[in-house]
Every structure is written in C-alpha cells, then in structure tokens.
Amino acid sequence: MKKQISIFLDRDGIINQQIENDYVKSIPEFVFRPDFLSEIQYLSKSSNFIIVVTNQQGIGKKRMTQEALQKIHDYMVSETIAAGGRIDAVYHCPHLIDQNCNCRKPKTGMIEQAILDFPTLKQDILIMIGDSPGDIEAAKSAGLISVGMIKYKNDNRFQDINPDYIIESLAQLRTEVLPAILNN
C-alpha cells in the first residue's frame, strides 16, 4: 500500500506575507504569499490532509479578537478553495509566550490535537512546513518531517535546529522535497 502524506503548515510567512513586528489583524492585512495559491492546488491533490497550525498571540495581547481571527481564517480557507486547493483544519494558539501553554509552538499541542481529531493521520507521512525555529522544533518533537522555509539565500535562522529539508518556495517543496520523501 502506497504511503500518503499529510501536511502541517505554519500560517504567517508560509501562507501569507508576514507583517514585521505586528500581527495580521484584519482581512485587508492578510496578503497571500505569491506562490501559495498556485502551489496549494498541487499540495491538495497529493496530500491526505492539509492542516494549519499557527501561533496567534495577538489575541492574548488584545491586539485582535477571536472573532477577527476567525474571519481571517474563513477568508483564507475560502480563497484557497476558490484557487482549487483546500485546508482541512486550522488550529491556533491565542496565548502569550509567558503563559507556558501546551499549544504554543514550539510545543506540540496543536499537532497532537489534530492527530486526535483526525486519527488516520497516524498512518500518514507527516510533514511540517514553517519559517521559524519554533516550527521546526515542534515538528521534530512531534515526530514529523521538518521543512524550513527561508526567505533569502543567506538566511541562517535554522542553523542551530537543522530541519530535515530547507526550501525557498512551495514549488521547491513540490518538485524536490515531496518526491524525495515519497521515494524513501
């Protein structure tokens, strides 16, 4: 039986443009990364599940509300569907860093909850794509294949954490990383 993959995606910096030193607090501030909507079509066809896991401490800081975040995520999912892709679930952590919750990456609570909610994930090859060391640490702690996305050639944010793969685009994930994983 052929192994299936399921993909966990961080949100800011992977799906949408990250706002430096701020949070995406409304739909107009949510701008898809240029490659996301085209690549999600392929990822949707080649994956059992696509799950977003995102830290959103802007809620804990009272910079935005749960309702505003839900509207942003509804928009993200509907635009993804309109582009021929899908997102099966979105998990977020609203807590502040110092609250020491179990869900905030680099802890694994959101990933663990997804596996409880979708038990067939246990049968899949699980991959996590993120753009921060915390994303990679969460992936490694949960036993997922870790893929770090860098923003420019000399980006060394993953130097100490050593993800399984480093990519510069989701196209590189599709053309290089997924074939390598599936052929192992």
Side-chain angles (χ1 to χ4, degrees), residues 9 37 39 73 84 94 116 118 121 126 139 142 148 154 181:
L9 298 170
L37 291 175
E39 290 299 326
H73 287 166
L116 286 173
F118 301 97
L121 283 168
L126 303 179
N154 295 327
I181 291 169

Side-chain angles (χ1 to χ4, degrees), residues 5-9 39 42-43 46-47 125-130 136 144-150 163-184:
I5 61 167
S6 284
I7 297 176
F8 287 81
L9 298 170
E39 290 299 326
Y42 173 81
L43 296 177
S46 63
S47 304
I125 299 169
L126 303 179
I127 303 166
M128 170 76 189
I129 298 105
I136 303 309
L144 279 60
I145 295 171
S146 59
V147 179
M149 184 179 289
I150 59 172
D164 296 309
Y165 298 91
I166 294 178
I167 59 173
E168 294 178 33
S169 69
L170 291 175
Q172 191 178 1
L173 174 73
R174 173 177 51 85
T175 60
E176 297 173 23
V177 175
L178 294 183
I181 291 169
L182 289 171
N183 289 326
N184 262 345

Side-chain angles (χ1 to χ4, degrees), residues 87-113:
I87 293 173
D88 298 297
V90 179
Y91 296 86
H92 73 277
C93 172
H95 304 111
L96 298 172
I97 292 170
D98 61 3
Q99 287 180 284
N100 201 28
C101 66
N102 186 46
C103 54
R104 183 173 177 78
K105 295 178 289 180
K107 294 190 179 171
T108 59
M110 289 186 283
I111 296 168
E112 292 167 8
Q113 187 60 53

Side-chain angles (χ1 to χ4, degrees), residues 49-66:
F49 293 97
I50 297 177
I51 297 170
V52 176
V53 288
T54 178
N55 291 342
Q56 293 296 321
Q57 79 169 346
I59 294 170
K61 290 182 175 182
K62 309 263 188 266
R63 301 277 310 275
M64 68 184 306
T65 63
Q66 289 277 2

Side-chain angles (χ1 to χ4, degrees), residues 26-83:
S26 65
I27 291 171
E29 294 177 334
F30 186 92
V31 178
F32 283 97
R33 281 179 41 93
D35 61 344
F36 179 77
L37 291 175
S38 59
E39 290 299 326
I40 195 64
Q41 297 171 30
Y42 173 81
L43 296 177
S44 296
K45 290 176 186 159
S46 63
S47 304
N48 255 357
F49 293 97
I50 297 177
I51 297 170
V52 176
V53 288
T54 178
N55 291 342
Q56 293 296 321
Q57 79 169 346
I59 294 170
K61 290 182 175 182
K62 309 263 188 266
R63 301 277 310 275
M64 68 184 306
T65 63
Q66 289 277 2
E67 294 76 21
L69 181 66
Q70 188 59 53
K71 286 179 184 175
I72 292 166
H73 287 166
D74 290 346
Y75 170 77
M76 174 183 72
V77 170
S78 68
E79 291 296 307
T80 299
I81 291 168

